[in-house]
Structure formats: C-alpha cells, structure tokens
Amino acid sequence: EVQPFLTSLLDGYNLCLMAYGQTGSGKTYSMLGSDLEELSMNRQSPDQPESDFTLPDHASHGLVPRAVNEVFRLIKERGKDSQLSANIAVMEIYNNEIYDLLQYGSPKCHLASGEEDPTPTLTRYPVHNMEDVMRHICQGLRRRAEVSTLVHDHSSRSHLIVTLSLVTMSPQHTAPAPTVNSPLRYSTRSDSPSG
C-alpha cells in the first residue's frame, strides 16, 4: 500500500508513516515486525553499538523495514547519476521534551523556531541500506523512556519519531550542494493515559 508513495519521496516530496493507538494495540509490531520488537525490548545495554546486528527474516518485517528496503532499491535503480544520499535521526517526545535517541545519554534537543531545520542539534547518521537504518532504529528503541502500565510491561509512554532524509545533490555543483531534502518519517503514538 505504501510503495507508490515511495517514488514520490525520491522526487522530493515528504512522506509520513504513522501508527496511532492504545498501549499494547500492536503499533510497534505493525511498524517494525515481531523480531525487531523483541530486539528493542533487550535493554541490558542500550548504549552498546549494534555491530553484531543481523536483520531477522523478511517474513517477519513490519512496514518500516519493507518501506526502507524499497527506498534503497529505488535509489539503486536510479543509478549513480541520481546523486542521492540518506541519513537517519531517531528522537522521542516524552513529557513535552524532545530527546535525541542516537546520542549517548539521550540529551534533550532544542527547537529552533522559524528555521528550515527545527531540530538542528539532532544527531544524524549517514545510512546506505536497510540494515544501517534498522540498526539505528533498534539502538534508539533501546534508549526510550519506559514505564510499566496495567496493559504492557514495557510501555514507552512517549512518541517515537524516526526520520530518514534523502538529500539530492545538484549536478551542476562540484561541491555538495543539497537541493532536495525529503524526509520519510515513522512515528508511533500511544493515546491511553490509563495504560
């Protein structure tokens, strides 16, 4: 269902994939898949690099890994002349504060109102394939704030926002000069105060 929109992403349009629902309703499962949901719950060392990360079988992938895989397939299909690069940012909104989940200690980010980039201090990493993206998402998930509820032992009680930005370089410039920045955002939101 999402595939036709992904081509528009490469043409410079923004795209947002969002899951909304009560705690325990399956937002993370639908967006990431069963195996990645389990990986994200392993919180024994949230700041340990994901160097040994292996992506589970394609059959258990959720919407986000499938969409990201398609984005990188489309980039490859366009060839080297397309001059596209990609980067990822992972943040959460918890108690009305924005936290950078790709930075050690998950520091607060400050909004810059009126700027083209409202979160200039947010950490962004270059990514080259689905495995890179999912490695960073998993690391971010392990750093999320968590509170146990009546429904779910590992409720995040926060809003997770993952942004995959595609930057197109202008072919007439010899130095990198970004001309199009198209974010693909994945977001989960729980709307159940009682849990």
Side-chain angles (χ1 to χ4, degrees), residues 27 91 97 100 103 133 163 177:
K27 296 177 299 295
M91 67 183 119
E97 300 286 349
D100 185 344
Q103 189 67 253
V133 170
T163 303

Side-chain angles (χ1 to χ4, degrees), residues 116-131:
E116 187 175 317
D117 181 1
T119 53
T121 61
L122 190 63
T123 303
R124 291 169 176 83
Y125 285 109
V127 288
H128 307 286
N129 53 46
M130 179 180 55
E131 289 78 13

Side-chain angles (χ1 to χ4, degrees), residues 35 55 63 93 152:
D35 292 335
L55 203 57
L63 182 61
I93 301 172
H152 200 281

Side-chain angles (χ1 to χ4, degrees), residues 43-50 101-106 139 142-143:
R43 295 180 175 263
Q44 294 172 348
S45 55
D47 293 313
Q48 180 180 352
E50 301 288 338
L101 297 182
L102 294 183
Q103 189 67 253
Y104 178 77
S106 302
Q139 184 176 15
R142 290 180 178 177
R143 291 179 177 164

Side-chain angles (χ1 to χ4, degrees), residues 130-148:
M130 179 180 55
E131 289 78 13
D132 288 349
V133 170
M134 301 317 294
R135 183 178 304 113
H136 289 299
I137 290 175
C138 194
Q139 184 176 15
L141 286 169
R142 290 180 178 177
R143 291 179 177 164
R144 285 181 86 180
E146 207 180 74
V147 176
S148 181

Side-chain angles (χ1 to χ4, degrees), residues 27-139:
K27 296 177 299 295
T28 303
Y29 174 82
S30 296
M31 296 302 266
L32 297 179
S34 58
D35 292 335
L36 285 174
E37 182 181 34
E38 260 181 55
L39 280 173
S40 72
M41 299 234 194
N42 176 11
R43 295 180 175 263
Q44 294 172 348
S45 55
D47 293 313
Q48 180 180 352
E50 301 288 338
S51 56
D52 59 344
F53 178 84
T54 54
L55 203 57
D57 178 42
H58 183 74
S60 65
H61 290 179
L63 182 61
V64 171
R66 290 171 193 253
V68 168
N69 194 47
E70 179 65 9
V71 165
F72 282 106
R73 188 193 69 75
L74 290 168
I75 290 172
K76 187 176 181 182
E77 188 177 271
R78 288 200 175 189
K80 293 183 181 185
D81 293 339
S82 67
Q83 304 264 332
L84 281 170
S85 64
N87 65 65
I88 188 170
V90 182
M91 67 183 119
E92 78 173 332
I93 301 172
Y94 181 69
N95 284 337
N96 295 322
E97 300 286 349
I98 300 171
Y99 295 92
D100 185 344
L101 297 182
L102 294 183
Q103 189 67 253
Y104 178 77
S106 302
K108 286 184 189 177
C109 290
H110 302 284
L111 289 177
S113 62
E115 298 293 323
E116 187 175 317
D117 181 1
T119 53
T121 61
L122 190 63
T123 303
R124 291 169 176 83
Y125 285 109
V127 288
H128 307 286
N129 53 46
M130 179 180 55
E131 289 78 13
D132 288 349
V133 170
M134 301 317 294
R135 183 178 304 113
H136 289 299
I137 290 175
C138 194
Q139 184 176 15

